[in-house]
Amino acid sequence: MIEIHGLAKKFAVANPKKLSEQEKQDPRLKGRFFHSVEDVSFKCDAGKVLGLLGPNGAGKTTTLRMLSTAIKPTAGSLMIKGVDVLANPIEARRKLGFLSGSTGLYGRLSGRENITYFGRLHGVSEQEIRQRIDDLADLLDMHSFLDRRCEGYSTGMKQKVSIARAVIHQPEAVILDEPTTGLDIMATQTVLNFIRGLKEKGIPVIFSTHHLDEVDELCDSVTVIDKGRNRFNGSLDEFRGLSSGSMHESFMTTLTEQGGH
C-alpha cells in the first residue's frame, strides 16, 4: 500500500516582483512563500492503480516528488509498504520505482547500459540484471533499439528505457508521472499493458496522466487535486458517477465544486 496524509509543501519565493500576474493571483501565494501543495491525502492498495489527475500547476508532480523522497514535505506523512518515507528514505527508495517527468537518460550510453547502471546502483547482481533486461525488453518491445545510444532515440524509445530503469530492481510500489506523454498509439498501448502486468503482480501503481481515456481503461481509483488540495478521492465508478458517465465532465465537476470529496 502507498498512503499519504495531509501532505503540504511550501517554497520560498526569491523575488516576488518577478512573478507573473497569473502567479500573483494564485491563492497559494502567501507572503514570500508559494504553497505548491497545501493538503493532499490518498492511498493506493496492493494490486490497484490510482489515477492522479489535475490541471497543470495543480501540485501533482510536487506530490509525487515528495513521495519519491526527492524533496521533503513541509507537513504530512508518507508510507510505502509500511515504511515511513520521512523516517527511512533509503529503505523507502528500495521499495519504490519512480518515473519522473523527464527521462534523464545518459545519451552516450545505450539503453541496455543505462538500465544496467541503475540496476548496479540498486545492488542487483550482474546475472539478475541481464535476465531482467531481457524480460523487460520482451514486455516493453525494446529489443530492436536496446543496444543503440540513447541520444538517437525517439520519445517512445526513451520512455520505455526509462520505465525499465525505474523497475529494474523489482520495486514493491511504482509511481509513473505521465508515462505516455508524447507516445504514439502503439507505444502507449505497450506501456498500459506493462502497467497491467504490475497490477497482476499485486504492485500498487500511482499513475499521473492528462489522458482520461487511460484512466477509464486502467485505473481502480481516482484522486483529483487542484491548487494543491484534494478535490476528489474515490473509486473509478464514483468518479464516473459525478456526471452522466463522461470522464471529462466528471473531471470538470471536481474542479468547480469547492469542497471536493
Side-chain angles (χ1 to χ4, degrees):
M1 178 192 289
I2 302 172
E3 188 169 11
I4 71 174
H5 184 72
L7 205 61
K9 178 63 179 179
K10 66 179 180 180
F11 296 95
V13 178
N15 190 343
K17 293 181 180 179
K18 289 188 175 181
L19 295 174
S20 68
E21 282 305 312
Q22 184 178 358
E23 289 169 328
K24 289 177 183 176
Q25 297 301 318
D26 195 308
R28 290 175 291 175
L29 180 63
K30 298 166 185 175
R32 296 189 66 85
F33 288 94
F34 183 77
H35 297 252
S36 177
V37 176
E38 292 196 298
D39 186 6
V40 169
S41 302
F42 59 73
K43 70 173 183 175
C44 181
D45 292 325
K48 302 294 182 183
V49 179
L50 180 146
L52 184 62
L53 304 177
N56 288 334
K60 300 188 303 297
T61 295
T62 301
T63 296
L64 297 182
R65 290 184 70 204
M66 286 188 277
L67 191 50
S68 76
T69 76
I71 55 177
K72 287 186 177 181
T74 307
S77 62
L78 309 98
M79 301 289 290
I80 297 175
K81 302 290 282 190
V83 175
D84 185 324
V85 174
L86 298 178
N88 301 293
I90 294 175
E91 188 180 350
R93 255 175 248 150
R94 290 195 188 105
K95 292 183 177 292
L96 186 67
F98 178 59
L99 174 75
S100 67
S102 58
T103 58
L105 298 174
Y106 297 103
R108 295 180 66 83
L109 298 181
S110 69
R112 187 184 303 276
E113 289 167 337
N114 268 282
I115 302 167
T116 297
Y117 175 68
F118 280 88
R120 288 170 179 163
L121 287 179
H122 281 289
V124 183
S125 73
E126 296 296 315
Q127 183 178 348
E128 283 182 298
I129 288 173
R130 285 193 295 272
Q131 182 60 55
R132 290 179 192 176
I133 290 177
D134 283 344
D135 293 342
L136 289 165
D138 288 339
L139 290 169
L140 291 167
D141 191 22
M142 299 191 297
H143 286 291
S144 63
F145 58 84
L146 199 54
D147 292 300
R148 285 163 42 195
R149 278 187 177 184
C150 289
E151 60 191 4
Y153 279 7
S154 68
T155 300
M157 293 172 184
K158 289 178 180 177
Q159 198 71 324
K160 288 179 179 182
V161 170
S162 296
I163 291 170
R165 181 194 68 181
V167 300
I168 187 64
H169 59 301
Q170 295 185 326
E172 296 177 42
V174 172
I175 297 172
L176 302 171
D177 191 3
E178 300 187 14
T180 62
T181 297
L183 303 191
D184 62 27
I185 293 172
M186 295 299 292
T188 294
Q189 204 55 52
T190 298
V191 171
L192 296 183
N193 287 339
F194 180 75
I195 296 171
R196 286 191 189 91
L198 295 174
K199 181 176 175 178
E200 288 168 5
K201 292 177 182 176
I203 296 171
V205 179
I206 306 286
F207 175 62
S208 165
T209 183
H210 288 293
H211 302 292
L212 295 174
D213 56 328
E214 295 173 2
V215 174
D216 197 22
E217 183 180 338
L218 196 65
C219 296
D220 301 285
S221 60
V222 174
T223 292
V224 180
I225 61 176
D226 184 32
K227 292 185 171 59
R229 292 182 176 273
N230 280 97
R231 299 302 177 193
F232 177 86
N233 256 336
S235 70
L236 182 61
D237 285 340
E238 288 170 334
F239 184 69
R240 285 197 196 103
L242 296 176
S243 68
S244 57
S246 162
M247 296 289 284
H248 180 75
E249 284 181 25
S250 293
F251 177 68
M252 296 308 295
T253 296
T254 66
L255 300 186
T256 55
E257 289 183 357
Q258 293 300 311
H261 288 250

